[in-house]
């Protein structure tokens, strides 16, 4: 069933696949037992959880004992960073991260820096790429953790994780990657990436919200943050979200469909960009279309504010996002766009389209039909655009 | 807090957009770095605002407050128009999200700037 709106905000969240919902359904009602209990119903649910863990581990090329279930990407990032830094205090308290990380990483690192730690934030290129040489330079004797995202959630840049992990391994520093935007969208193999800790979130790949996982390589010391009933081999207490875990595993099993549609999504993003530049001038691309997540398109429109475009698109039943101050919940535009080197007055005019496997060429046609007119109308309303 | 229906209406169908040719007063406030710039032009006749138009670069709230202030000001005496406050504009729109009360609620300031510009022109002849 196709919804009566065009959804182009898959980096924010995805719809749960109906097959995922079917897999989850019994675990809300008939199969509600706590998997930590000893009777048959509990043991059966424990089996379901462990089967999910094994399935996720197969997809990531790791052992099931290296997968820990969490409440989502933010918890995974908090646990990874605080846990690794607190476990490594004998070595030091210095962290290296990048300027374009999600707030779940950046704010956690800043919190630790404000509480006795030290932080180095490496810059990025104009298309959001981290230079591994900058990471190598930033690592010191007292560095306990490097945290660099696998792909950026605003511009879609895929970071050189393999090159960075070669450096962290040589220097003997733990490496965490926030893979919330990549798991289920492009192939993610923890051995090939060479990371020690990896965060993921179910709702970004057609799974349910409120569930995620953390991969922790065997032998990696990460302090426990959630204390309580001793679930997850005493490393993350809390009653397991059985429907969520089962749904997330089912979604990852279906992720091949997303990965197979990558070329189609990339072609749609390219067609949207070509069409918009032909119909509306003064657009600047923030996404490197040759190295980005499939179906990602972030650009700035000169002379227009992003939230105004977003709301006008909403009136046309098209869902997108923007990095303008009005949409970040603060008075500052997106920290990612500023890190790319955009001046604030330019970053206010950003729009982000993130496509998913249910989008079609007809959706692109519909956007090309309305967006150029929206841009023209808002530019005509602007006192500064092409001021004479 | 989300936008009220009135804000969304004034954003989707803004009133009095444009620039008055040969205006009696011009007021421009804001700063592109903050994301909002508003320009108001007025035509004055017999000490009343006979016509008023706006141009705004900014978010939904910035456009809606601009539209609303032109509706409130049209036909008013200069003295009455000058008393229109940011709070008046916000309450006529059934409120604004707290974050928007300061950054995107500059329309009343732009109107006052246009009136001040008119008075200065009259005084200096």
């Amino acid at each position: 069933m196709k919804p009566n709106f065009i959804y182009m905000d898959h980096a924010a969240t995805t719809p749960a696949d109906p097959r995922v919902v079917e897999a989850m359904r019994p675990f809300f009602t008939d199969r509600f037992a706590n998997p930590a209990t000893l009777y048959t119903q509990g043991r059966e649910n424990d089996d379901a959880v462990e089967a999910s863990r094994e399935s996720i581990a197969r997809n990531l090329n790791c052992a099931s004992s290296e997968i820990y279930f969490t409440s989502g990407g933010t918890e995974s990032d908090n646990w990874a960073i605080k846990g690794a830094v607190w476990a490594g205090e004998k070595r030091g308290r210095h962290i290296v991260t990048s300027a374009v990380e999600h707030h779940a990483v950046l704010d956690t690192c800043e919190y630790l820096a404000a509480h006795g730690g030290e932080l180095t934030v490496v810059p990025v290129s104009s298309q959001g790429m981290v230079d591994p040489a900058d990471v190598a330079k930033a690592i010191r004797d007292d560095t306990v953790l490097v945290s660099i995202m696998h792909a950026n959630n605003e511009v879609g840049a895929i970071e050189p994780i393999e090159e960075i992990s070669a450096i962290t391994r040589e220097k003997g520093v733990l490496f965490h990657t926030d893979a919330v935007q990549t798991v289920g969208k492009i192939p993610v193999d923890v051995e090939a990436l060479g990371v020690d800790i990896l965060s993921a979130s179910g709702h970004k790949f057609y799974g349910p919200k409120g569930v995620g996982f953390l991969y922790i390589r065997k032998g990696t010391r990460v302090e426990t943050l959630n204390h309580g009933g001793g679930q997850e081999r005493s490393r993350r207490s809390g009653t397991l979200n059985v429907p969520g875990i089962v749904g997330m595993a089912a979604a990852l099993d279906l992720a091949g469909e997303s990965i197979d549609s990558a070329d189609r999504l990339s072609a749609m993003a390219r067609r949207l960009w070509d069409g918009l530049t032909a119909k509306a001038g003064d657009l600047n691309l923030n996404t490197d279309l040759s190295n980005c997540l499939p179906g990602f398109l972030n650009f700035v429109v000169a002379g227009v504010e992003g939230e105004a475009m977003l709301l006008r698109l909403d009136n046309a039943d098209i869902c997108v996002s923007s990095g303008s101050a009005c949409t970040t919940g603060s008075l500052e535009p997106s920290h990612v766009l500023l890190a790319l080197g955009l001046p604030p007055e330019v970053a206010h005019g950003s729009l982000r389209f993130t496509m998913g496997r249910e989008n079609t060429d007809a959706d692109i046609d519909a956007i090309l039909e309305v967006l150029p007119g929206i841009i023209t109308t808002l530019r005509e309303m602007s006192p500064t655009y092409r001021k004479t | 807090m989300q936008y009220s229906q009135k804000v969304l209406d004034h954003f989707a169908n803004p009133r009095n957009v444009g620039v008055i040719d040969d205006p009696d007063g011009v007021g421009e406030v804001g700063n592109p770095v903050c994301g909002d710039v508003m320009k108001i032009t007025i035509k004055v006749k017999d000490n009343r605002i006979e016509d008023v138009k706006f141009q705004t670069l900014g978010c939904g709230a910035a456009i809606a407050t601009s539209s609303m202030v032109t509706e409130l000001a049209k036909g008013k005496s200069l003295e009455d128009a000058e008393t229109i406050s940011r709070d008046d504009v916000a309450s006529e729109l059934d409120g604004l999200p707290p974050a928007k009360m300061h950054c995107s609620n500059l329309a009343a300031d732009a109107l006052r700037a246009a009136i001040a510009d008119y008075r200065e022109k009259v005084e200096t002849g």
Side-chain angles (χ1 to χ4, degrees), chain A residues 50-82:
Chain A
E50 292 315 313
S52 299
R53 198 188 308 276
E54 278 163 27
S55 159
I56 289 169
R58 263 196 310 279
N59 274 292
L60 270 83
N61 190 25
C62 66
S64 61
S65 57
E66 295 173 309
I67 298 292
Y68 297 86
F69 294 118
T70 67
S71 62
T74 296
E75 185 196 331
S76 292
D77 286 339
N78 270 267
W79 182 16
I81 295 165
K82 290 173 185 162

mmCIF file of all heavy atoms in Angstrom, chain A residues 50-82:
data_model
loop_
_atom_site.group_PDB
_atom_site.id
_atom_site.type_symbol
_atom_site.label_atom_id
_atom_site.label_comp_id
_atom_site.label_asym_id
_atom_site.label_seq_id
_atom_site.Cartn_x
_atom_site.Cartn_y
_atom_site.Cartn_z
ATOM 1 N N GLU A 50 17.696 -15.207 20.993
ATOM 2 C CA GLU A 50 19.022 -15.697 20.590
ATOM 3 C C GLU A 50 19.085 -15.967 19.083
ATOM 4 O O GLU A 50 20.123 -15.755 18.457
ATOM 5 C CB GLU A 50 19.414 -16.933 21.402
ATOM 6 C CG GLU A 50 19.665 -16.628 22.890
ATOM 7 C CD GLU A 50 20.513 -15.378 23.122
ATOM 8 O OE1 GLU A 50 21.562 -15.223 22.466
ATOM 9 O OE2 GLU A 50 20.110 -14.524 23.956
ATOM 10 N N ALA A 51 17.975 -16.412 18.522
ATOM 11 C CA ALA A 51 17.945 -16.613 17.063
ATOM 12 C C ALA A 51 18.108 -15.267 16.356
ATOM 13 O O ALA A 51 18.799 -15.164 15.332
ATOM 14 C CB ALA A 51 16.635 -17.277 16.651
ATOM 15 N N SER A 52 17.494 -14.225 16.921
ATOM 16 C CA SER A 52 17.630 -12.873 16.347
ATOM 17 C C SER A 52 19.077 -12.407 16.444
ATOM 18 O O SER A 52 19.621 -11.815 15.508
ATOM 19 C CB SER A 52 16.729 -11.885 17.090
ATOM 20 O OG SER A 52 15.381 -12.262 16.971
ATOM 21 N N ARG A 53 19.688 -12.685 17.596
ATOM 22 C CA ARG A 53 21.078 -12.263 17.801
ATOM 23 C C ARG A 53 21.990 -12.953 16.777
ATOM 24 O O ARG A 53 22.871 -12.325 16.192
ATOM 25 C CB ARG A 53 21.506 -12.627 19.233
ATOM 26 C CG ARG A 53 22.743 -11.869 19.714
ATOM 27 C CD ARG A 53 23.247 -12.394 21.063
ATOM 28 N NE ARG A 53 22.254 -12.476 22.118
ATOM 29 C CZ ARG A 53 21.901 -11.466 22.906
ATOM 30 N NH1 ARG A 53 22.468 -10.296 22.753
ATOM 31 N NH2 ARG A 53 20.998 -11.633 23.851
ATOM 32 N N GLU A 54 21.740 -14.237 16.571
ATOM 33 C CA GLU A 54 22.577 -14.978 15.607
ATOM 34 C C GLU A 54 22.381 -14.450 14.191
ATOM 35 O O GLU A 54 23.344 -14.326 13.423
ATOM 36 C CB GLU A 54 22.256 -16.479 15.671
ATOM 37 C CG GLU A 54 22.992 -17.152 16.817
ATOM 38 C CD GLU A 54 22.429 -18.510 17.184
ATOM 39 O OE1 GLU A 54 21.846 -19.160 16.287
ATOM 40 O OE2 GLU A 54 22.559 -18.901 18.349
ATOM 41 N N SER A 55 21.139 -14.131 13.868
ATOM 42 C CA SER A 55 20.852 -13.630 12.530
ATOM 43 C C SER A 55 21.532 -12.276 12.290
ATOM 44 O O SER A 55 22.118 -12.035 11.224
ATOM 45 C CB SER A 55 19.333 -13.555 12.389
ATOM 46 O OG SER A 55 18.980 -12.686 11.378
ATOM 47 N N ILE A 56 21.474 -11.406 13.290
ATOM 48 C CA ILE A 56 22.128 -10.096 13.163
ATOM 49 C C ILE A 56 23.641 -10.277 13.053
ATOM 50 O O ILE A 56 24.303 -9.642 12.224
ATOM 51 C CB ILE A 56 21.733 -9.191 14.353
ATOM 52 C CG1 ILE A 56 20.265 -8.780 14.208
ATOM 53 C CG2 ILE A 56 22.641 -7.964 14.435
ATOM 54 C CD1 ILE A 56 19.673 -8.103 15.440
ATOM 55 N N ALA A 57 24.184 -11.188 13.872
ATOM 56 C CA ALA A 57 25.633 -11.437 13.851
ATOM 57 C C ALA A 57 26.078 -11.943 12.476
ATOM 58 O O ALA A 57 27.126 -11.526 11.966
ATOM 59 C CB ALA A 57 26.006 -12.447 14.937
ATOM 60 N N ARG A 58 25.266 -12.833 11.869
ATOM 61 C CA ARG A 58 25.608 -13.323 10.523
ATOM 62 C C ARG A 58 25.667 -12.169 9.534
ATOM 63 O O ARG A 58 26.568 -12.091 8.701
ATOM 64 C CB ARG A 58 24.546 -14.327 10.041
ATOM 65 C CG ARG A 58 24.906 -15.791 10.264
ATOM 66 C CD ARG A 58 24.020 -16.707 9.423
ATOM 67 N NE ARG A 58 22.592 -16.442 9.536
ATOM 68 C CZ ARG A 58 21.805 -16.873 10.539
ATOM 69 N NH1 ARG A 58 22.325 -17.582 11.528
ATOM 70 N NH2 ARG A 58 20.521 -16.603 10.556
ATOM 71 N N ASN A 59 24.695 -11.264 9.636
ATOM 72 C CA ASN A 59 24.659 -10.125 8.722
ATOM 73 C C ASN A 59 25.870 -9.215 8.875
ATOM 74 O O ASN A 59 26.283 -8.563 7.922
ATOM 75 C CB ASN A 59 23.388 -9.304 8.950
ATOM 76 C CG ASN A 59 22.211 -9.829 8.158
ATOM 77 O OD1 ASN A 59 22.209 -9.742 6.942
ATOM 78 N ND2 ASN A 59 21.231 -10.405 8.830
ATOM 79 N N LEU A 60 26.406 -9.130 10.094
ATOM 80 C CA LEU A 60 27.535 -8.231 10.342
ATOM 81 C C LEU A 60 28.877 -8.941 10.313
ATOM 82 O O LEU A 60 29.910 -8.321 10.529
ATOM 83 C CB LEU A 60 27.369 -7.521 11.697
ATOM 84 C CG LEU A 60 26.619 -6.205 11.588
ATOM 85 C CD1 LEU A 60 25.128 -6.434 11.595
ATOM 86 C CD2 LEU A 60 27.023 -5.251 12.674
ATOM 87 N N ASN A 61 28.852 -10.269 10.097
ATOM 88 C CA ASN A 61 30.078 -11.072 10.081
ATOM 89 C C ASN A 61 30.796 -11.042 11.437
ATOM 90 O O ASN A 61 31.993 -10.755 11.513
ATOM 91 C CB ASN A 61 31.018 -10.610 8.957
ATOM 92 C CG ASN A 61 32.180 -11.565 8.761
ATOM 93 O OD1 ASN A 61 32.063 -12.766 9.094
ATOM 94 N ND2 ASN A 61 33.291 -11.072 8.253
ATOM 95 N N CYS A 62 30.029 -11.287 12.507
ATOM 96 C CA CYS A 62 30.655 -11.376 13.829
ATOM 97 C C CYS A 62 30.014 -12.524 14.597
ATOM 98 O O CYS A 62 29.121 -13.205 14.087
ATOM 99 C CB CYS A 62 30.494 -10.062 14.591
ATOM 100 S SG CYS A 62 28.791 -9.661 15.012
ATOM 101 N N ALA A 63 30.474 -12.747 15.826
ATOM 102 C CA ALA A 63 29.885 -13.797 16.666
ATOM 103 C C ALA A 63 28.650 -13.235 17.360
ATOM 104 O O ALA A 63 28.599 -12.039 17.680
ATOM 105 C CB ALA A 63 30.896 -14.255 17.706
ATOM 106 N N SER A 64 27.661 -14.099 17.612
ATOM 107 C CA SER A 64 26.442 -13.604 18.260
ATOM 108 C C SER A 64 26.751 -13.079 19.663
ATOM 109 O O SER A 64 26.071 -12.175 20.159
ATOM 110 C CB SER A 64 25.371 -14.697 18.307
ATOM 111 O OG SER A 64 25.843 -15.788 19.044
ATOM 112 N N SER A 65 27.796 -13.590 20.302
ATOM 113 C CA SER A 65 28.156 -13.120 21.652
ATOM 114 C C SER A 65 28.732 -11.706 21.621
ATOM 115 O O SER A 65 28.994 -11.111 22.666
ATOM 116 C CB SER A 65 29.168 -14.076 22.279
ATOM 117 O OG SER A 65 30.301 -14.173 21.437
ATOM 118 N N GLU A 66 28.925 -11.155 20.430
ATOM 119 C CA GLU A 66 29.449 -9.785 20.327
ATOM 120 C C GLU A 66 28.339 -8.761 20.080
ATOM 121 O O GLU A 66 28.622 -7.566 19.926
ATOM 122 C CB GLU A 66 30.480 -9.715 19.182
ATOM 123 C CG GLU A 66 31.727 -10.557 19.470
ATOM 124 C CD GLU A 66 32.675 -10.645 18.283
ATOM 125 O OE1 GLU A 66 32.210 -10.983 17.165
ATOM 126 O OE2 GLU A 66 33.876 -10.390 18.473
ATOM 127 N N ILE A 67 27.090 -9.221 20.036
ATOM 128 C CA ILE A 67 25.948 -8.326 19.802
ATOM 129 C C ILE A 67 25.193 -8.118 21.113
ATOM 130 O O ILE A 67 24.813 -9.086 21.782
ATOM 131 C CB ILE A 67 24.985 -8.930 18.749
ATOM 132 C CG1 ILE A 67 25.685 -9.105 17.395
ATOM 133 C CG2 ILE A 67 23.707 -8.084 18.610
ATOM 134 C CD1 ILE A 67 26.042 -7.822 16.683
ATOM 135 N N TYR A 68 24.946 -6.857 21.471
ATOM 136 C CA TYR A 68 24.196 -6.508 22.685
ATOM 137 C C TYR A 68 23.005 -5.639 22.289
ATOM 138 O O TYR A 68 23.188 -4.634 21.588
ATOM 139 C CB TYR A 68 25.100 -5.746 23.665
ATOM 140 C CG TYR A 68 26.256 -6.581 24.131
ATOM 141 C CD1 TYR A 68 27.436 -6.641 23.387
ATOM 142 C CD2 TYR A 68 26.169 -7.353 25.284
ATOM 143 C CE1 TYR A 68 28.497 -7.437 23.785
ATOM 144 C CE2 TYR A 68 27.220 -8.150 25.701
ATOM 145 C CZ TYR A 68 28.384 -8.188 24.935
ATOM 146 O OH TYR A 68 29.418 -8.987 25.335
ATOM 147 N N PHE A 69 21.828 -6.011 22.759
ATOM 148 C CA PHE A 69 20.636 -5.250 22.393
ATOM 149 C C PHE A 69 20.481 -4.020 23.284
ATOM 150 O O PHE A 69 20.748 -4.067 24.488
ATOM 151 C CB PHE A 69 19.397 -6.138 22.459
ATOM 152 C CG PHE A 69 19.430 -7.230 21.431
ATOM 153 C CD1 PHE A 69 19.441 -8.566 21.804
ATOM 154 C CD2 PHE A 69 19.477 -6.907 20.074
ATOM 155 C CE1 PHE A 69 19.492 -9.564 20.841
ATOM 156 C CE2 PHE A 69 19.530 -7.907 19.114
ATOM 157 C CZ PHE A 69 19.543 -9.236 19.497
ATOM 158 N N THR A 70 20.043 -2.918 22.644
ATOM 159 C CA THR A 70 19.863 -1.644 23.354
ATOM 160 C C THR A 70 18.513 -1.049 22.940
ATOM 161 O O THR A 70 17.760 -1.665 22.186
ATOM 162 C CB THR A 70 20.962 -0.628 22.968
ATOM 163 O OG1 THR A 70 20.790 -0.259 21.590
ATOM 164 C CG2 THR A 70 22.359 -1.203 23.173
ATOM 165 N N SER A 71 18.274 0.175 23.413
ATOM 166 C CA SER A 71 17.016 0.853 23.070
ATOM 167 C C SER A 71 17.132 1.665 21.785
ATOM 168 O O SER A 71 16.175 2.321 21.385
ATOM 169 C CB SER A 71 16.596 1.768 24.216
ATOM 170 O OG SER A 71 17.571 2.770 24.409
ATOM 171 N N GLY A 72 18.306 1.667 21.140
ATOM 172 C CA GLY A 72 18.431 2.410 19.883
ATOM 173 C C GLY A 72 19.803 3.030 19.715
ATOM 174 O O GLY A 72 20.729 2.767 20.492
ATOM 175 N N GLY A 73 19.922 3.868 18.699
ATOM 176 C CA GLY A 73 21.207 4.456 18.344
ATOM 177 C C GLY A 73 21.793 5.341 19.427
ATOM 178 O O GLY A 73 22.992 5.290 19.701
ATOM 179 N N THR A 74 20.962 6.169 20.055
ATOM 180 C CA THR A 74 21.473 7.089 21.063
ATOM 181 C C THR A 74 22.037 6.329 22.262
ATOM 182 O O THR A 74 23.134 6.633 22.751
ATOM 183 C CB THR A 74 20.359 8.056 21.502
ATOM 184 O OG1 THR A 74 19.982 8.860 20.379
ATOM 185 C CG2 THR A 74 20.824 8.963 22.625
ATOM 186 N N GLU A 75 21.314 5.309 22.723
ATOM 187 C CA GLU A 75 21.846 4.519 23.844
ATOM 188 C C GLU A 75 23.130 3.807 23.427
ATOM 189 O O GLU A 75 24.107 3.765 24.188
ATOM 190 C CB GLU A 75 20.821 3.497 24.343
ATOM 191 C CG GLU A 75 21.342 2.777 25.588
ATOM 192 C CD GLU A 75 20.608 1.491 25.942
ATOM 193 O OE1 GLU A 75 19.407 1.371 25.641
ATOM 194 O OE2 GLU A 75 21.257 0.607 26.523
ATOM 195 N N SER A 76 23.136 3.251 22.227
ATOM 196 C CA SER A 76 24.327 2.531 21.766
ATOM 197 C C SER A 76 25.542 3.460 21.751
ATOM 198 O O SER A 76 26.630 3.088 22.203
ATOM 199 C CB SER A 76 24.090 1.948 20.373
ATOM 200 O OG SER A 76 23.124 0.916 20.433
ATOM 201 N N ASP A 77 25.356 4.675 21.226
ATOM 202 C CA ASP A 77 26.470 5.625 21.170
ATOM 203 C C ASP A 77 26.927 6.029 22.571
ATOM 204 O O ASP A 77 28.122 6.093 22.858
ATOM 205 C CB ASP A 77 26.065 6.882 20.377
ATOM 206 C CG ASP A 77 26.004 6.616 18.870
ATOM 207 O OD1 ASP A 77 26.631 5.639 18.414
ATOM 208 O OD2 ASP A 77 25.337 7.391 18.162
ATOM 209 N N ASN A 78 25.964 6.319 23.450
ATOM 210 C CA ASN A 78 26.316 6.702 24.823
ATOM 211 C C ASN A 78 27.078 5.591 25.536
ATOM 212 O O ASN A 78 28.076 5.839 26.214
ATOM 213 C CB ASN A 78 25.054 7.054 25.616
ATOM 214 C CG ASN A 78 24.692 8.518 25.517
ATOM 215 O OD1 ASN A 78 25.072 9.324 26.350
ATOM 216 N ND2 ASN A 78 23.987 8.883 24.464
ATOM 217 N N TRP A 79 26.562 4.365 25.384
ATOM 218 C CA TRP A 79 27.211 3.232 26.042
ATOM 219 C C TRP A 79 28.624 3.030 25.489
ATOM 220 O O TRP A 79 29.604 2.889 26.238
ATOM 221 C CB TRP A 79 26.346 1.975 25.861
ATOM 222 C CG TRP A 79 26.896 0.760 26.533
ATOM 223 C CD1 TRP A 79 27.870 0.708 27.493
ATOM 224 C CD2 TRP A 79 26.501 -0.590 26.286
ATOM 225 N NE1 TRP A 79 28.096 -0.593 27.865
ATOM 226 C CE2 TRP A 79 27.285 -1.410 27.143
ATOM 227 C CE3 TRP A 79 25.569 -1.194 25.435
ATOM 228 C CZ2 TRP A 79 27.149 -2.807 27.158
ATOM 229 C CZ3 TRP A 79 25.437 -2.572 25.452
ATOM 230 C CH2 TRP A 79 26.216 -3.374 26.306
ATOM 231 N N ALA A 80 28.742 3.042 24.160
ATOM 232 C CA ALA A 80 30.038 2.793 23.528
ATOM 233 C C ALA A 80 31.077 3.796 24.020
ATOM 234 O O ALA A 80 32.190 3.427 24.414
ATOM 235 C CB ALA A 80 29.893 2.885 22.008
ATOM 236 N N ILE A 81 30.712 5.078 24.010
ATOM 237 C CA ILE A 81 31.708 6.124 24.268
ATOM 238 C C ILE A 81 32.011 6.229 25.765
ATOM 239 O O ILE A 81 33.169 6.173 26.186
ATOM 240 C CB ILE A 81 31.221 7.466 23.674
ATOM 241 C CG1 ILE A 81 31.139 7.330 22.149
ATOM 242 C CG2 ILE A 81 32.137 8.607 24.078
ATOM 243 C CD1 ILE A 81 30.353 8.416 21.463
ATOM 244 N N LYS A 82 30.965 6.370 26.577
ATOM 245 C CA LYS A 82 31.204 6.474 28.019
ATOM 246 C C LYS A 82 31.843 5.179 28.528
ATOM 247 O O LYS A 82 32.791 5.202 29.320
ATOM 248 C CB LYS A 82 29.898 6.739 28.760
ATOM 249 C CG LYS A 82 29.351 8.139 28.512
ATOM 250 C CD LYS A 82 27.966 8.291 29.131
ATOM 251 C CE LYS A 82 27.368 9.648 28.789
ATOM 252 N NZ LYS A 82 25.915 9.682 28.977
#
